[in-house]
């Protein structure tokens, strides 16, 4: 019996109690939930339904809980129900009902854990969006791992998700990038405000190879060639690096398109129509202080140039007009000041900032080697890049490590830890269970042990304490996935997988799956193989949501 099925049983019991007592059945919820108690001695699952309903119907909670417990005790699969505190229901399942979950999981396969919890939500998820002026640095890599995992979680819970990379190909940073390429091509040092690193010389050389005539152009014309060609080369490299990291986007959005399509003017007129623009000192301002910002923001300077914030406004409006109800933007730690102005901007457009716009801030990441921070890339010269991280610990470990911690907490990634083939390496610990469950399956086939027909599965044999603990962990997976998606917290899934791995190891150490020697294959062996294979399914499904492989051998 799954937690969702048990919740339906609890609700059915409540309907029966209300009918027997003549209580107002309109007070009953359309659905309820059960949860695992913190203390396993209190039972397999707990329900607070009696507490939730008592005030609505004027019945003391313990009295209502007693009636619910009596009704629930008659339900198939429920072993016992105890009342605790003011009216909590602590429920224990019989072994057959608990063990049945193993078959449910194996038969569901990749679909186990998926739900409609966020069905109907159309979400635009923008992450990474690093400027095409250099390789993706380690802070951007964090958002690549977390953002991609979050998109998978949101889709697994029914949301309609569009992932997006905002490609900043306009503005002063691109001009500095072009000047740096031109200087490198001429053999001159980088401009004082320019970009350094070996990658600049590499790109400049490639531009000259593609466009040899650039060497004969005046500086202004040559700089434009380096800007156009250099940005294309740099962004192609960024996309390739992210693809190798397992991250691809539904949309790569060019800032330049906002300018060329006149969308900044359109956004300006929309805001003017809302009554939030004013002119001062020749510039056009947005009155964001009306919605809690610390100061009003310039959209167009007195010289006619657009500000970056004007592009932000146009881009947000573009997303909303593409039908996205919720715009989620992931930003680095240095963008914390954007929160107030972006929320105010949404309000200026007439949106509800709490419903239509969500901004997530990611904190810094340090790569440690021998206990000391790795300060810079051999190629980029100033930062640690995606390639540096992958070269140091590999794609799987990098993705798992970056998604394992709450994004609002700084993290240190220790190269020695994350490359160690031991249980203290979290990704190894989880992947080892994936490999071990696969190995058990191969070894079972060699000795003639199969799960057999589903109709012959005897779940009541899974009565050992460690089997029960493992089953309860497996049962929690769908709610963990839904919670991680709703809370934008992929790290919850990582922690769950480590708990599941621990429960499987305890089961494996205490409950022999394979027959020994000439021992006859029994229904207990088959039942435990169902449980082993169910664990393999959940581990693989969970790792897939994090973008990490579930190896069959290690």
């Amino acid at each position: 019996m799954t937690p969702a099925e048990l919740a339906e049983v609890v609700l059915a019991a409540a309907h029966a109690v209300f009918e027997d007592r003549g209580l107002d059945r309109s007070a009953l919820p359309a659905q309820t939930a059960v949860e695992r108690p913190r203390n396993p001695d209190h039972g397999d699952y707990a329900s607070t339904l009696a507490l939730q309903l008592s005030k609505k119907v004027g019945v003391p909670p313990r009295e209502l809980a007693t009636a619910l417990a009596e009704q629930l005790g008659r339900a198939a699969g429920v072993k016992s129900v105890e009342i605790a505190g003011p009216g909590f229901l602590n429920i224990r399942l019989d072994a057959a009902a608990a063990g049945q979950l193993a078959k449910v999981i194996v038969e569901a396969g990749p679909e186990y854990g998926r739900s409609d919890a966020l069905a109907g939500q159309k979400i635009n998820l923008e992450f990474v969006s690093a400027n095409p002026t250099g390789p993706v640095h380690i802070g951007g890599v964090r958002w690549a791992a977390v953002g991609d995992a979050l998109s998978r979680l949101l889709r697994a819970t029914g949301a309609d998700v569009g992932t997006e990379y905002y490609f900043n190909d306009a503005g002063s940073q691109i001009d500095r990038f072009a000047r740096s390429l031109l200087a490198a091509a001429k053999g001159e040092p980088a401009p004082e405000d320019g970009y350094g690193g070996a990658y600049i010389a590499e790109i400049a050389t490639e531009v000259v190879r593609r466009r040899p005539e650039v060497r004969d152009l005046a500086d202004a014309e040559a700089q434009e060639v380096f800007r156009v060609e250099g940005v294309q080369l740099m962004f192609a490299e960024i996309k390739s690096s992210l693809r190798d990291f397992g991250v691809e986007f539904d949309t790569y959005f060019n800032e330049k398109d906002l300018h060329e399509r006149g969308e900044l003017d359109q956004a300006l007129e929309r805001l003017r129509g809302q009554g939030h623009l004013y002119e001062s000192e020749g510039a056009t301002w947005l009155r964001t202080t009306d919605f809690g910002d610390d100061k009003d923001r310039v959209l167009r300077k007195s010289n006619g140039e657009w500000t970056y914030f004007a592009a932000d406004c146009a881009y947000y409006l573009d997303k909303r007009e593409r039908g996205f109800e919720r715009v989620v933007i992931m930003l680095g730690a240095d963008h914390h000041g954007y929160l107030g102005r972006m929320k105010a901007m949404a309000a200026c457009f007439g949106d509800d900032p709490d419903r239509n716009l969500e901004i997530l801030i990611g904190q810094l990441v340090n790569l440690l080697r021998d206990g000391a921070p790795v300060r810079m890339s051999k190629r980029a010269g100033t930062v640690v890049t995606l390639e540096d991280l992958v070269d140091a610990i590999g794609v799987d470990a990098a993705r798992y490590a970056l998604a394992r911690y709450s994004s609002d907490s700084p993290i240190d990634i220790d190269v020695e830890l994350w490359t160690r083939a031991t249980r203290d390496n979290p990704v190894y610990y989880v992947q080892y269970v994936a490999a071990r469950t696969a190995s058990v399956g191969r070894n079972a086939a060699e000795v003639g042990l199969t799960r057999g027909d589903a109709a012959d599965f005897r779940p009541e044999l899974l009565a050992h304490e460690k089997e029960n603990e493992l089953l309860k962990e497996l049962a929690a997976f769908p709610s963990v996935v839904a919670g991680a998606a709703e809370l934008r917290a992929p790290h919850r899934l990582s922690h769950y997988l480590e708990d599941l791995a621990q429960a499987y190891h305890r089961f494996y150490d205490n409950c022999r799956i394979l027959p020994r020697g000439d021992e006859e294959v029994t229904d207990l062996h088959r039942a435990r193989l169902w449980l082993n294979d169910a664990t393999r399914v959940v581990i693989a499904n969970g790792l897939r949501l994090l973008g990490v492989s579930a190896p069959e051998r290690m």
Side-chain angles (χ1 to χ4, degrees):
M1 185 183 298
T2 67
E5 290 170 339
L6 178 59
E8 291 178 6
V9 171
V10 171
L11 193 56
H15 276 275
V17 168
F18 273 48
E19 185 173 353
D20 289 345
R21 292 184 163 226
L23 300 174
D24 180 8
R25 295 175 66 180
S26 68
L28 288 166
Q31 58 186 17
T32 187
V34 294
E35 53 192 40
R36 291 176 56 195
R38 292 182 180 178
N39 185 342
D41 293 337
H42 292 166
D44 297 326
Y45 296 98
S47 170
T48 60
L49 188 59
L51 295 169
Q52 297 168 23
L53 296 175
S54 64
K55 284 187 178 179
K56 293 181 179 179
V57 296
V59 177
R62 278 192 69 91
E63 180 182 333
L64 189 55
T66 299
L68 282 171
E70 290 175 359
Q71 188 68 36
L72 264 177
R74 304 187 193 111
V78 175
K79 182 179 180 181
S80 66
V81 185
E82 298 173 356
I83 302 165
F88 295 103
L89 295 172
N90 290 333
I91 306 165
R92 297 181 191 276
L93 301 180
D94 63 34
Q100 192 70 21
L101 179 67
K103 186 175 76 167
V104 169
I105 293 171
V106 172
E107 291 180 339
E111 293 300 307
Y112 183 68
R114 302 182 70 87
S115 72
D116 295 326
L118 300 182
Q121 294 192 24
K122 188 168 184 182
I123 300 171
N124 180 281
L125 181 62
E126 181 202 340
F127 55 100
V128 184
S129 295
N131 290 330
T133 55
V136 179
H137 63 75
I138 197 168
V141 182
R142 183 176 198 176
W143 275 139
V146 174
D148 189 62
L150 182 54
S151 72
R152 295 166 186 247
L153 286 162
L154 290 169
R155 286 171 175 146
T157 48
D160 180 0
V161 181
T163 58
E164 198 144 316
Y165 187 118
Y166 183 57
F167 177 21
N168 181 343
D169 54 351
S172 60
Q173 294 185 63
I174 300 300
D175 292 338
R176 288 161 49 201
F177 177 62
R179 291 200 306 273
S180 301
L181 293 175
L182 176 60
K186 295 167 68 175
E188 298 174 356
E192 188 173 336
D193 63 346
Y195 297 93
Y199 77 95
I200 290 291
E202 293 171 8
I203 293 175
T205 299
E206 179 60 18
V207 172
V208 172
R209 189 192 69 79
R210 290 185 173 195
R211 301 281 300 274
E213 74 277 9
V214 73
R215 291 174 293 193
D216 301 323
L217 298 177
D219 281 359
E221 293 176 280
Q223 182 176 314
E224 179 61 17
V225 171
F226 279 108
R227 188 190 71 78
V228 173
E229 296 287 341
V231 165
Q232 287 182 358
L233 287 166
M234 190 71 256
F235 195 58
E237 180 179 323
I238 289 171
K239 290 174 72 173
S240 176
S241 296
L242 289 169
R243 189 178 303 115
D244 291 343
F245 196 57
V247 179
E248 294 200 56
F249 293 84
D250 299 321
T251 301
Y252 294 91
F253 192 102
N254 288 28
E255 180 188 352
K256 189 169 62 174
D257 290 345
L258 293 171
H259 293 264
E260 293 178 350
R261 296 195 300 240
E263 291 192 42
L264 280 83
D265 287 302
Q266 293 168 23
L268 200 74
E269 290 311 305
R270 175 74 67 88
L271 292 167
R272 194 183 305 280
Q274 294 284 347
H276 300 300
L277 292 188
Y278 66 93
E279 308 293 325
S280 178
E281 300 176 354
T284 303
W285 296 71
L286 181 62
R287 194 176 283 106
T288 53
T289 51
D290 285 352
F291 299 98
D293 195 9
D294 58 344
K295 61 181 180 181
D296 292 339
R297 304 289 171 175
V298 176
L299 297 182
R300 197 170 220 163
K301 301 176 186 177
S302 57
N303 62 4
E305 291 182 1
W306 294 103
T307 63
Y308 282 117
F309 187 58
D312 289 338
C313 294
Y315 185 38
Y316 172 80
L317 184 60
D318 182 278
K319 291 177 179 179
R320 292 284 288 119
E321 291 187 336
R322 279 185 274 146
F324 291 105
E325 177 189 359
R326 193 168 189 86
V327 173
V328 181
I329 307 172
M330 297 179 160
L331 299 173
D334 56 339
H335 288 75
H336 201 277
Y338 278 53
L339 282 168
R341 75 187 74 170
M342 293 294 286
K343 290 285 189 180
M345 173 265 292
C348 287
F349 276 121
D351 281 352
D352 179 350
D354 294 327
R355 184 173 68 86
N356 300 118
L357 178 62
E358 184 176 345
I359 298 178
L360 307 177
I361 301 292
Q363 294 300 319
L364 299 176
V365 182
N366 291 310
L367 183 65
L368 304 182
R369 192 187 299 274
D370 299 323
V374 177
R375 293 295 182 189
M376 63 181 63
S377 166
K378 293 179 181 178
R379 181 164 177 263
T382 54
V383 294
V384 177
T385 67
L386 187 160
E387 286 78 7
D388 295 324
L389 179 61
V390 170
D391 288 346
I393 65 175
V395 171
D396 277 350
R399 288 191 62 129
Y400 193 96
L402 291 165
R404 185 175 184 259
Y405 303 94
S406 174
S407 56
D408 58 7
S409 301
I411 56 173
D412 293 328
I413 297 178
D414 188 305
V415 171
E416 283 72 29
L417 169 65
W418 289 94
T419 54
R420 201 176 294 156
T422 58
R423 288 190 172 191
D424 58 346
N425 175 351
V427 71
Y428 178 86
Y429 187 61
V430 174
Q431 286 185 315
Y432 184 73
V433 171
R436 173 170 268 187
T437 52
S439 174
V440 167
R442 291 192 299 270
N443 293 337
E446 289 177 3
V447 299
L449 170 61
T450 66
R451 294 194 305 265
D453 293 336
D456 297 327
F457 172 51
R458 295 187 58 191
E460 72 275 9
L461 297 178
L462 299 175
H464 192 283
E465 176 188 4
K466 300 308 176 185
E467 293 166 341
N468 185 257
E469 290 177 5
L470 179 54
L471 284 162
K472 284 193 282 188
E473 286 290 350
L474 295 171
F477 182 60
S479 64
V480 170
V481 172
E486 190 165 1
L487 297 172
R488 319 297 193 237
H491 66 279
R492 288 173 170 253
L493 178 55
S494 301
H495 295 167
Y496 163 80
L497 290 174
E498 290 163 38
D499 289 342
L500 176 59
Q502 189 175 51
Y504 177 80
H505 286 307
R506 289 194 296 262
F507 156 71
Y508 184 89
D509 292 341
N510 288 274
C511 303
R512 188 159 44 83
I513 303 170
L514 304 179
R516 288 177 178 167
D518 296 330
E519 184 181 357
E520 182 181 351
V521 172
T522 67
D523 287 339
L524 178 58
H525 293 125
R526 296 187 186 93
R528 286 176 173 170
L529 187 57
W530 278 95
L531 185 51
N532 174 84
D533 293 355
T535 305
R536 166 79 191 174
V537 167
V538 175
I539 287 284
N541 289 358
L543 286 173
R544 188 182 305 112
L545 289 171
L546 295 175
V548 177
S549 68
E552 295 194 356
R553 288 178 169 85
M554 289 183 73

